Amino acid sequence: MRQLLAILFFLSYSALQAQSLEEINKQLESDIKQINYWYYEASANSKYDSLEAANIQFEKHLLKVLNNNPETLYHNFDTIIHTVSSPDKKLRAYSWDTNMGGTMRDFQTVFQYQTKNGVKAEKLTGKDNEPEDAIYWCNAIHSFKTKQQTIYIAVIYAKLSSIYSYTTVLFFTTENDSLTEIPSLIETDENGDTPGIEYNFLSTIDNPNAPDELIDFDPKKFILRFAKTDDDGNVTNSFDSYKFNGEYFKKVN
């Protein structure tokens, strides 16, 4: 009898934790509407505390539903929030504009990933395991396999001003059932910096010479490419290419 009651309690608890995708959509849509509402209120009446609270609530709800509902890893949320997935569909990024920035936009990104025991979702953490206040938007996720593990390449984007933007990559693994950011695997330049592109965003608009993707990856050739810019920060149709040699991406041109 006790065993039966325990099973019934577990099933009831699980039902309360899980939500239908329709319910999840409605909840997240409502949260986004609150962010947009308080954005206009903040602009008109300086209600910035309420805008921040709306973002905190959205992030809290998002992490909860992603952790408690494994099917969300494959669900289409594109009408609510920007999502990109890895080719193997085991890692996904959810990015949104908090509307708390000025011309330098404030983005937030949550990652969801497949583990051996289910699905997890989290924000990256910085020093002392404190949540990292990243201002980037995840634009794409590529992947490749080494002898030891699958490595994911997240293409991230930050808006620095009304004109200038920046894009680079982060490397991750999901080994040991945790999302781990690993040090850059790209050969640094003469200044010791990891490649990235600071560019004039306007140069990518209605420009037939601008590439569709400023950073791309060829999984068959293991080549990662970064678009070049001219002296004024305008994007060109030339690339710097880096080929993975088994240990890191080495510049080949």
Side-chain angles (χ1 to χ4, degrees), residues 124-192:
L124 295 183
T125 56
K127 294 181 179 180
D128 302 320
N129 289 323
E130 290 296 324
E132 191 170 55
D133 291 325
I135 58 168
Y136 63 76
W137 178 284
C138 189
N139 201 46
I141 302 176
H142 306 288
S143 66
F144 66 98
K145 290 186 177 182
T146 67
K147 293 180 179 179
Q148 295 80 25
Q149 60 193 341
T150 297
I151 295 178
Y152 297 98
I153 308 170
V155 180
I156 61 169
Y157 160 91
K159 196 169 189 305
L160 306 179
S161 69
S162 58
I163 296 177
Y164 289 99
S165 298
Y166 180 78
T167 184
T168 188
V169 298
L170 299 176
F171 295 93
F172 297 99
T173 69
T174 57
E175 301 297 315
N176 303 317
D177 284 354
S178 64
L179 180 68
T180 304
E181 183 180 350
I182 57 179
S184 176
L185 296 174
I186 308 176
E187 181 180 43
T188 56
D189 61 20
E190 60 272 14
N191 298 317

Side-chain angles (χ1 to χ4, degrees), residues 228-245:
K228 294 181 180 182
T229 58
D230 62 22
D231 293 339
D232 295 320
N234 298 312
V235 173
T236 71
N237 60 358
S238 298
F239 287 84
D240 285 325
S241 297
Y242 299 79
K243 184 176 177 63
F244 189 68
N245 63 9

Side-chain angles (χ1 to χ4, degrees), residues 110-124:
V110 163
F111 289 93
Q112 183 186 30
Y113 55 99
Q114 183 72 52
T115 73
K116 295 177 181 178
N117 300 311
V119 167
K120 289 184 179 180
E122 61 187 82
K123 280 184 67 174
L124 295 183

